[in-house]
Amino acid sequence: MHDVSRIEAADLIGGQLVSLSGQQIVSTNPARPTDIIWQGDSVLDHVDRAVVAAADAQVAWARLSAERRRAALLRFRDLCRARAADMARLIALETGKALWDARAEADLLAAKVDITLEESEHSGARRVRAFEISLGA
């Protein structure tokens, strides 16, 4: 196998990257199976920690106003646009897709945020509002 990248294997837990070591899982480029993209061992404790962190984050997210959630999603959209070339490179490496195809996929991330937040009849924002309940005055 040939190591073609410097991608560190890690789990994202509570906003922090937690490194993975070892060689239990090896991700290769399907178009070039001898090219290693990343490798690391799975860590069961990371799953438990990630579930706890996600549950905690959901509580904090639920407390935010709709305007603050919208602002967070718009910031995510802007980051997706700014990092589209990097994401496209990673998509191409992991899937074996041509870079132009991976770039189109990366560009869709930002577009999906816009679709979610738009105010059309079938938008994500409208569907979410249908489930809102009043918490009283």
Side-chain angles (χ1 to χ4, degrees):
M1 297 261 173
H2 180 251
D3 187 359
V4 297
S5 70
R6 294 189 171 106
I7 299 172
E8 179 184 354
D11 290 328
L12 183 62
I13 304 172
Q16 302 294 316
L17 289 175
V18 181
S19 294
L20 298 173
S21 59
Q23 299 177 359
Q24 183 182 24
I25 301 170
V26 178
S27 176
T28 61
N29 181 333
R32 296 185 185 99
T34 59
D35 291 353
I36 297 173
I37 308 307
W38 63 268
Q39 63 188 31
D41 291 347
S42 61
V43 180
L44 190 55
D45 177 63
H46 289 190
V47 176
D48 294 332
R49 290 170 52 196
V51 168
V52 169
D56 291 346
Q58 191 284 324
V59 170
W61 179 259
R63 289 184 180 138
L64 294 177
S65 68
E67 294 79 23
R68 299 259 329 258
R69 289 187 217 171
R70 179 180 178 81
L73 290 172
L74 290 173
R75 175 72 177 132
F76 174 72
R77 179 202 62 195
D78 295 345
L79 289 170
C80 288
R81 286 183 179 152
R83 302 289 305 269
D86 293 334
M87 288 189 290
R89 178 180 165 274
L90 291 173
I91 291 167
L93 287 172
E94 281 243 300
T95 65
K97 289 183 176 185
L99 189 55
W100 66 264
D101 192 18
R103 180 61 194 245
E105 186 174 334
D107 288 342
L108 283 174
L109 289 171
K112 288 181 180 188
V113 173
D114 288 333
I115 290 168
T116 298
L117 295 177
E118 73 182 18
E119 294 295 335
S120 71
E121 180 181 350
H122 301 290
S123 72
R126 185 177 176 114
R127 287 192 308 268
V128 168
R129 272 193 223 98
F131 294 101
E132 288 181 352
I133 58 172
S134 174
L135 298 178

